[in-house]
Amino acid sequence: MDSLIQVINKLQDVSAVVNAKLFDLPQIVVVGSQSSGKSSVLESLVGKSFLPRGTGIVTRAPLIIQMVKYTNKDMKSMLDITNDENIKEWVRFSHIKNTVFHDFNDVKKEIENQTNALAGENKGITDKPIVLKVYTSSYTLTFVDLPGITKLKVGDQPADIEEQIQQLIVKYVQRPNAIILAVVTANTDPATSESLKIAKQWDPEGARTIAVVTKLDIIDKGTKSDIVDLLCGKIIPVKLGIIGVVNRSQIYINENKTLEETLKNETEFFRTNYPEICKMHGNKVLANTLQDILIKHIRKYIPTLNKNLQYTKTELESKLETLKKPDCEKTFVLELLSDINKSYCETVTGDRKDASDEMLMGGAKIVNVIQDNFTKKFMAVNPLYNLSDKQIENYLLNTSGIKKSSLVNHKALEIMVSKQLEYLIEPALSFVDVVREEMFNILDSIDQKLLNELQRFPELNNNVRSTLDNLLEMKLKNIKKSIKSHIKTHQKFLYTTNPNYILHLVNSSIECSSTFIDCKTTYFNNMKTGDIYSEINKMEKEIVSKMYRDILSSLGGPHDYKREINVQVKLHKQLTRCYFEFIRDTLRDFVPNRINHKLVNFVLKKFDKNLKAEVFMPFINNSSSGGMLAEKEGVAEKRNKKKKFLIAVNKALKSLEDVQKQ
């Protein structure tokens, strides 16, 4: 079932190329402390010395080592590049195309060079993987080699190097499909092993952990019985097994002894020192065990893998559909503009079928702005702002001249009402700008697919936005002028017999309310039989008279000239406030309604027509407007990348299908 591992290898290649975790792929993740013999274990499994060595952190990037038992097709591919039939084992890197490495010293140098390219030369680390295929006649197996665990920074290593390494290791071992190969040294207490601590943290039951014990050849002979217990699984609770190995010593490395010689010495070591369990340990046993474990793991994962691949294929095809170049540019632009207008209008009117349950959008947001922005601000304006009793007194006296003031000084009341209503103009006009901005921003709330399509083409995007902006601007001045004129009308002409104003007077005090309630039957009966307007006028005078008497009573009864002025001030102050509130209530509905009618509805009616006139017609009439469909930077590259990715996924699906037929 080597082909199973090959399928995983193909997906690892794809993941590395696009630098993304596409699937939770089954893979063997090698974890161990620095100087634990981790590199030697991997070299023994591969059968070649090719990993960089030195002090401090040598492995500074995830190294995905894919051992491939090569086929005749692989051999032919290699010969096409090298034309060298003497090559029996070779390496190819995913980041270098059409290049074969058969000198493993060159492989070591390339790993070092690519590590420096990805992680820099300051001994830092990176999560970007280096993928290499080792073509061999032995077996198919895949590992992920990670930086060795360290506690102390050395030389110019970053101060947080321990944390960086821990985060990188966790990124791989936390995945449910990761098989953790924990390298443990025989000459240290397993309870203090950093690799086992990490394995236990992310695999508490030990269901996906295999332990590899190194440095068996340098332990004290007095601890042999403890080592037997360790190798027999009595100390470390892992379910995938514990395998002891003897790697090349530094002396062997210095003497350039081959890995073949090391394997022979390893076999003899176990036969001599651990005869009862010698057949259960060693690098050959480890390789076979890992292959069996990985294949079983992959078999179990095939249904999920197939499902994930199919889902990814569908997603890629869908994204490529949105990124494809238009077959007919004119039709494409016309349909896109029509769809944008439709989605924009539906967003405003609340007719979208994909209405959000997470935030307000479109017309609902405008209504919310009316409540939170306009209404609160509008209703918060003080009816008597910047109008003191002394100012009221002066208005009353100056408009009376040499004559004695009547009960209600209408000239003074008109001046004061006009002055106070002026304070409503600014919040009313500023609200027009708020709605205009919101109407423009709604374009960013249309159907996301349409928005993505539009943003692919910067010039088209700018033209659509300019059209909407111009449409909004076209009505802005007229609406403000209309609203201001409406308020000015109320400033110039007072309508004191308006029933709503009368109601404000009635509600201005408890006494007036009581009088109205007591006399309302009489009022209404008179309205039925007589002149309504004269009856309302009469009602207004009676209520004002009642207000006057109440104020007079509150000031102590019979009055002199000064007290008379004070009564007039209080009365007109109350009348000004009531009339202001009456007009403000009217404007509270008028302003939003006028904006909705003259701006919102205008845009909804004209947007489609203007898009065609200002965007589509210039596109088809102007031969130099082809730039309108020029894609923004990176789109073509994104499309090509997804095409290649889709090809890779299809190949993986085909390979998986072939495997399932076996």
Side-chain angles (χ1 to χ4, degrees), residues 14-61:
V14 173
S15 296
V17 167
V18 298
N19 191 28
K21 177 186 168 241
L22 303 171
F23 316 107
D24 181 16
L25 298 174
Q27 54 191 3
I28 299 170
V29 180
V30 184
V31 181
S33 300
Q34 287 184 27
S35 303
S36 63
K38 182 167 62 70
S39 294
S40 297
V41 170
L42 290 172
E43 289 184 335
S44 294
L45 289 169
V46 174
K48 293 290 181 182
S49 177
F50 68 99
L51 293 174
R53 294 179 180 273
T55 58
I57 303 174
V58 179
T59 304
R60 297 189 292 122

Side-chain angles (χ1 to χ4, degrees), residues 5 13 43 51 54 79 112 118 137 149 158 174 244 295 320 327 358-359 452 454 458 529 557 577 612:
I5 300 177
D13 292 345
E43 289 184 335
L51 293 174
L79 290 174
E112 292 172 344
L118 294 175
S137 59
I149 303 166
Q174 69 180 351
I295 288 173
L320 280 171
D327 296 326
E358 297 178 355
M359 62 180 182
N452 292 341
L454 180 61
T529 58
R577 179 177 60 80
K612 290 181 173 65

Side-chain angles (χ1 to χ4, degrees), residues 65-77:
I65 305 167
Q66 300 174 347
M67 292 183 65
V68 179
K69 187 175 182 179
Y70 59 76
T71 62
N72 291 334
K73 184 179 178 181
D74 295 325
M75 177 66 77
K76 183 179 182 304
S77 177

Side-chain angles (χ1 to χ4, degrees), residues 333-380:
V333 172
L334 182 59
E335 289 180 351
L336 179 59
L337 294 177
S338 296
D339 289 342
I340 287 171
N341 170 71
K342 183 174 183 290
S343 183
Y344 181 88
C345 294
E346 287 178 346
T347 304
V348 174
T349 58
D351 292 324
R352 286 268 295 272
K353 293 181 180 179
D354 58 338
S356 173
D357 62 348
E358 297 178 355
M359 62 180 182
L360 293 178
M361 57 191 293
K365 200 166 183 181
I366 293 175
V367 172
N368 188 63
V369 167
I370 291 173
Q371 297 301 324
D372 283 354
N373 184 302
F374 173 70
T375 303
K376 287 182 180 178
K377 185 177 179 180
F378 205 62
M379 299 305 287

Side-chain angles (χ1 to χ4, degrees), residues 393 396-397 561-570:
E393 180 181 334
L396 290 171
L397 294 176
Y561 172 76
K562 186 61 180 175
R563 188 168 295 177
E564 171 67 23
I565 292 297
N566 289 338
V567 172
Q568 286 289 327
V569 168
K570 289 184 176 294

Side-chain angles (χ1 to χ4, degrees), residues 432-443:
V432 180
D433 294 319
V434 171
V435 175
R436 180 230 186 280
E437 182 180 358
E438 192 57 47
M439 286 290 289
F440 185 79
N441 292 338
I442 286 174
L443 189 58

Side-chain angles (χ1 to χ4, degrees), residues 506-531:
V506 169
N507 292 329
S508 64
S509 69
I510 296 175
E511 292 79 6
C512 288
S513 297
S514 300
T515 299
F516 180 77
I517 292 171
D518 293 341
C519 302
K520 68 178 181 179
T521 303
T522 303
Y523 290 147
F524 292 148
N525 287 336
N526 290 339
M527 286 181 192
K528 289 178 182 178
T529 58
D531 183 0

Side-chain angles (χ1 to χ4, degrees), residues 72-88:
N72 291 334
K73 184 179 178 181
D74 295 325
M75 177 66 77
K76 183 179 182 304
S77 177
M78 181 272 292
L79 290 174
D80 288 342
I81 297 172
T82 65
N83 197 29
D84 187 346
E85 295 184 354
N86 293 320
I87 298 175
K88 301 302 178 185

